[in-house]
Amino acid sequence: MSPLTRRVLKDTYQLSKRYVFISLIAGFFSSVYPLVSIYISRRIIDLLGRNTPYETLIRFILIGLLLVFVSQIISGLFNYVHQFEQSEMYQRLELSRNLKSIAMEFRYAEDPAVKEMRQKLTIIGFGGPGSFEMIAYSIKSMVGYTVSILGAAWLILPAFSYHTGTIYDSPVFLLLFLVLLALSAYLPHRYNLKQNAKMNKLLSTVESSNTVFNYLANLVFDPESGKEIRLYRQQERVNRWFEKNTDPQGSTARMLRELVYGWGKVGLLSFGSNQGVILFLYLLVGFKGIAGGLPLGHIVAATAALNVLIAVLSELITDLSIIRSDSSGVQLHYEYMDLPNQTQHGSIPVEKRLDNDYHLSTENLTFHYPGTQRNILHDITIDFQVGRSYAIVGENGSGKTTFIKLLTRLYDPVDGAVKLNRISADKYDTNQYYSLFNVVFQDFDLFSFKLGETIATNRDFDEERIVNALRDVGFMERFNSLPKGLETSLNKEFDAQGITLSGGEQQKIALARAIYNDGPIYILDEPTSALDPISEFEIYQKFQQITRGKTSLIISHRLSSCRFSDEILVFDQGRIVQRGSHEELVHIPGKYADLWNAQARHYQEEDIDLTKLGLDNTIV
Ligand code: ADP
């Protein structure tokens, strides 16, 4: 048994002990009852030949029938239960893969190659040669095969060992029989291996079509893309794309045809060789019966058992070739499951401090995304003073979001370090480290759960604190109009009465979630981009109170909001090129003044009086 197969068996046992036990029992009984019935027939026929008393015969027949009946019932029952257990085990397996998807380091979660691996695993799933599912399924059949082979051998062997005093007792016949049997099993097996290689090729071709298919299926079901598809009149294009990608040049159909022909050939080959073995045994037991009195019951039992043996051998060989021919499925499974988890790094607990003295800093932070060469951040060294608020500004693509992904440890630096209280961030327990941050990402995601749960990120929540957070972000008016209050579902996936929030309202909920989290560090990436100016102004004012005594970093494109921050950090091409207050920066030529002037001109054109926003109307 290969180490990988052993690992599958161990993991299957861990996923569901019950499944393994039921498989063993179901495998045993479904194979044992055909043998029992052959054995009973043999005994009855032999007893008949020996003028056995009528009562003994009847008793034997009744006991025999009862045995067959009971083992058949047990087998049927366990096979039935096995199906349930199997589907439950598969569900657990899929769940474990899904849990892995959210446990793995974020850089893998974002990697398209890893996403493809995940899709491939489900596609290969049950039926894919060498998949985890197939090996787990084979527990039952392997037990069954063992029982059948041993039982059939026990029923066939007397045909060879029975002493008739003729030439047919010679062990040469047994040897010849075994050779023929081995050949009849081996030849189709070899051919099967080739077939499975073809099958895997077909699956990998289908897989790219499936990626497109899944993408398109999501596209057509997603109401968001539904808007674009209609307004940009994309229906035809989606249709053509779909047709083109599902079976490029009909190659999958051709491959499938070849596979079917191949299976036909395997069938013919095994049928031919099996008939050879059967003919051999029939002739032998026939001659032994005529010449040396081999009992009729033995003849019937041996020939019937041979049919069982041949059928089982061919199934066994097929299964073995499926399991072993190409273990790409199970290899892929473990490649995926063995990707490093985010929490596998540090172990130092984050100190609980009431004074919020969590000091965040970076040293020579340098970073490029995995699989790329271009540095996105260069050598950034900065100390964030506890309790101070920072505005991060810069053109699109200057590395602001990437910087916060590194501060929050979604990615590890290529060089340099992020530090918390002067200790490298990756030394800390990941979950405890995460809990320090109240984050609103630019592309934040709200799950379709109930409002209360969504904000608290937990089923148990403090209602009063949630309502306070909702008040802070200016959501109260809307909240009061919700009949189910915090029990209102977001979106309609799980609840037809769920509410659909506008972009601005969603942003308010994401902000409320950050406030409720109440960690010592706020990181907000364009948190108010979808809000109207009045809501934005109010929220920024509120945030000054909320973040008092805490460190806060706010990325913002609206430079007018920078006045709420103690210090502005200007990013340009992955570097912090300027830092200071608005007053300090706006009067000196540089990136900040450029950004400011561009925006101030816009404000002037719009006739917005900046002095009302607490700024002067300076243009350098
Ligand atoms: P900003 O927030 O300042 O607009 P980002 O940090 O989002 O800038 O992006 C900086 C650069 O990093 C961009 O050129 C972007 O294309 C690149 N980038 C962002 N995310 C990824 C990613 N997952 N893989 C590769 N490159 C990325």
Side-chain angles (χ1 to χ4, degrees):
M1 196 189 289
S2 75
L4 224 47
T5 310
R6 216 171 303 138
R7 196 169 164 197
V8 173
L9 296 182
K10 208 173 118 224
D11 287 351
T12 310
Y13 184 73
Q14 256 164 15
L15 282 171
S16 169
K17 291 183 186 57
R18 245 202 351 227
Y19 170 75
V20 175
F21 286 126
I22 301 277
S23 298
L24 297 178
I25 301 172
F28 178 83
F29 278 101
S30 46
S31 305
V32 95
Y33 86 82
L35 298 169
V36 172
S37 82
I38 295 175
Y39 174 71
I40 304 284
S41 315
R42 179 176 111 183
R43 290 298 303 267
I44 292 171
I45 296 170
D46 284 352
L47 287 175
L48 277 172
R50 273 192 241 137
N51 290 331
T52 315
Y54 185 67
E55 293 84 55
T56 319
L57 202 62
I58 292 292
R59 194 159 6 107
F60 195 84
I61 289 174
L62 285 178
I63 293 174
L65 281 177
L66 192 71
L67 262 180
V68 174
F69 181 68
V70 169
S71 51
Q72 207 166 359
I73 295 260
I74 297 178
S75 149
L77 204 68
F78 275 95
N79 274 322
Y80 191 61
V81 178
H82 182 259
Q83 280 179 16
F84 285 115
E85 291 297 329
Q86 183 186 316
S87 63
E88 196 175 315
M89 198 275 290
Y90 286 169
Q91 270 173 21
R92 287 188 192 176
L93 179 66
E94 276 293 287
L95 185 67
S96 71
R97 287 171 179 157
N98 290 344
L99 290 178
K100 179 70 201 184
S101 311
I102 50 173
M104 65 177 59
E105 283 180 22
F106 186 68
R107 64 194 174 109
Y108 293 114
E110 260 203 341
D111 186 344
V114 174
K115 280 188 196 156
E116 210 170 290
M117 275 167 87
R118 177 69 190 87
Q119 279 181 350
K120 200 170 165 185
L121 277 173
T122 304
I123 294 165
I124 293 176
F126 186 75
S131 66
F132 186 111
E133 287 88 333
M134 265 323 241
I135 298 179
Y137 179 72
S138 70
I139 298 176
K140 176 186 156 208
S141 31
M142 288 300 158
V143 173
Y145 298 151
T146 313
V147 171
S148 297
I149 291 170
L150 291 177
W154 181 70
L155 288 164
I156 294 169
L157 275 181
F160 293 94
S161 61
Y162 191 85
H163 189 73
T164 57
T166 62
I167 185 183
Y168 306 116
D169 294 349
S170 161
V172 174
F173 288 101
L174 178 61
L175 205 68
L176 215 60
F177 170 74
L178 290 177
V179 170
L180 278 175
L181 196 65
L183 270 181
S184 79
Y186 177 72
L187 291 178
H189 167 64
R190 270 202 48 183
Y191 202 81
N192 247 332
L193 286 182
K194 280 194 209 154
Q195 281 291 105
N196 285 333
K198 278 189 197 161
M199 173 87 171
N200 273 333
K201 207 168 141 207
L202 179 73
L203 278 176
S204 56
T205 316
V206 171
E207 170 201 317
S208 62
S209 307
N210 269 311
T211 311
V212 177
F213 185 87
N214 286 341
Y215 175 73
L216 288 173
N218 284 338
L219 203 69
V220 294
F221 280 121
D222 182 7
E224 290 300 315
S225 21
K227 288 186 299 199
E228 262 85 6
I229 290 179
R230 282 168 183 76
L231 285 170
Y232 287 100
R233 302 163 303 282
Q234 296 289 293
Q235 291 93 332
E236 262 303 301
R237 216 165 93 82
V238 170
N239 228 347
R240 273 204 306 277
W241 198 14
F242 179 75
E243 276 171 12
K244 192 169 136 241
N245 284 289
T246 37
D247 188 5
Q249 293 95 41
S251 63
T252 36
R254 211 172 29 250
M255 281 165 82
L256 192 63
R257 221 174 5 250
E258 271 177 37
L259 260 179
V260 173
Y261 283 139
W263 279 320
K265 276 192 208 162
V266 180
L268 269 179
L269 190 67
S270 53
F271 179 75
S273 53
N274 290 343
Q275 290 312 307
V277 187
I278 292 173
L279 184 67
F280 178 86
L281 189 76
Y282 272 42
L283 287 176
L284 183 80
V285 291
F287 285 129
K288 263 183 126 165
I290 297 163
L294 177 66
L296 195 58
H298 281 62
I299 297 179
V300 171
T303 48
L306 179 63
N307 280 312
V308 171
L309 184 65
I310 281 176
V312 166
L313 277 182
S314 101
E315 278 175 43
L316 170 69
I317 298 294
T318 314
D319 278 12
L320 280 183
S321 60
I322 284 174
I323 293 168
R324 310 211 45 176
S325 66
D326 180 350
S327 42
S328 65
V330 74
Q331 247 161 22
L332 188 74
H333 171 83
Y334 283 117
E335 223 175 281
Y336 191 78
M337 297 304 276
D338 290 343
L339 285 171
N341 279 355
Q342 196 88 34
T343 48
Q344 270 168 7
H345 294 289
S347 58
I348 306 180
V350 173
E351 200 188 344
K352 295 246 177 309
R353 307 182 65 113
L354 289 175
D355 57 4
N356 276 334
D357 201 1
Y358 295 96
H359 176 222
L360 197 63
S361 59
T362 69
E363 267 173 31
N364 308 105
L365 193 67
T366 299
F367 179 75
H368 56 75
Y369 281 96
T372 65
Q373 300 297 324
R374 186 170 63 99
N375 273 355
I376 303 294
L377 300 175
H378 306 262
D379 209 20
I380 297 182
T381 300
I382 184 164
D383 248 332
F384 292 104
Q385 283 179 33
V386 176
R388 211 169 151 79
S389 60
Y390 296 85
I392 300 180
V393 302
E395 287 171 15
N396 286 336
S398 56
K400 304 181 296 293
T401 302
T402 307
F403 181 61
I404 64 169
K405 280 189 197 161
L406 270 97
L407 289 181
T408 50
R409 267 188 65 191
L410 288 175
Y411 280 93
D412 287 326
V414 169
D415 214 352
V418 172
K419 294 195 166 177
L420 177 72
N421 293 346
R422 304 206 158 65
I423 296 173
S424 183
D426 63 354
K427 299 267 190 299
Y428 289 100
D429 173 283
T430 313
N431 282 329
Q432 290 188 26
Y433 184 80
Y434 284 164
S435 70
L436 297 177
F437 296 93
N438 316 314
V439 187
V440 176
F441 283 110
Q442 197 173 10
D443 51 354
F444 65 86
D445 195 13
L446 297 177
F447 310 131
S448 301
F449 297 153
K450 298 198 169 136
L451 183 61
E453 281 175 50
T454 307
I455 294 169
T457 58
N458 202 326
R459 273 181 201 226
D460 301 318
F461 51 78
D462 179 338
E463 225 174 292
E464 198 186 322
R465 276 183 54 216
I466 293 196
V467 173
N468 285 340
L470 289 174
R471 189 169 296 117
D472 287 342
V473 296
F475 193 77
M476 277 322 271
E477 207 175 309
R478 180 82 160 99
F479 177 65
N480 288 331
S481 74
L482 302 173
K484 287 201 201 159
L486 295 178
E487 291 299 306
T488 309
S489 299
L490 298 188
N491 305 324
K492 303 200 183 285
E493 275 93 348
F494 306 121
D495 182 355
Q497 287 169 0
I499 49 165
T500 308
L501 296 176
S502 74
E505 286 170 331
Q506 288 179 33
Q507 219 161 32
K508 287 180 178 179
I509 301 301
L511 279 162
R513 180 170 63 181
I515 294 172
Y516 185 90
N517 189 55
D518 200 29
I521 302 167
Y522 275 88
I523 294 193
L524 311 172
D525 189 351
E526 295 277 348
T528 54
S529 56
L531 297 184
D532 60 81
I534 296 173
S535 304
E536 183 180 36
F537 184 71
E538 284 171 0
I539 285 185
Y540 271 116
Q541 273 189 328
K542 214 53 222 178
F543 257 83
Q544 276 189 307
Q545 295 166 19
I546 295 167
T547 59
R548 194 157 293 147
K550 300 190 173 191
T551 311
S552 66
L553 276 67
I554 302 186
I555 298 181
S556 180
H557 276 303
R558 296 197 200 169
L559 300 190
S560 57
S561 60
C562 291
R563 71 191 179 286
F564 294 109
S565 304
D566 299 323
E567 188 173 352
I568 298 165
L569 308 175
V570 186
F571 268 65
D572 187 33
Q573 298 184 21
R575 288 189 169 83
I576 297 179
V577 290
Q578 286 183 298
R579 49 189 295 190
S581 69
H582 170 77
E583 281 307 313
E584 284 163 1
L585 296 177
V586 80
H587 297 294
I588 48 172
K591 206 76 208 168
Y592 185 78
D594 293 347
L595 290 166
W596 172 255
N597 287 340
Q599 217 164 69
R601 263 185 222 109
H602 168 72
Y603 284 138
Q604 277 183 343
E605 280 161 22
E606 298 282 314
D607 230 6
I608 297 171
D609 184 1
L610 289 173
T611 49
K612 284 198 184 139
L613 294 175
L615 296 163
D616 56 28
N617 284 318
T618 323
I619 290 192
V620 198

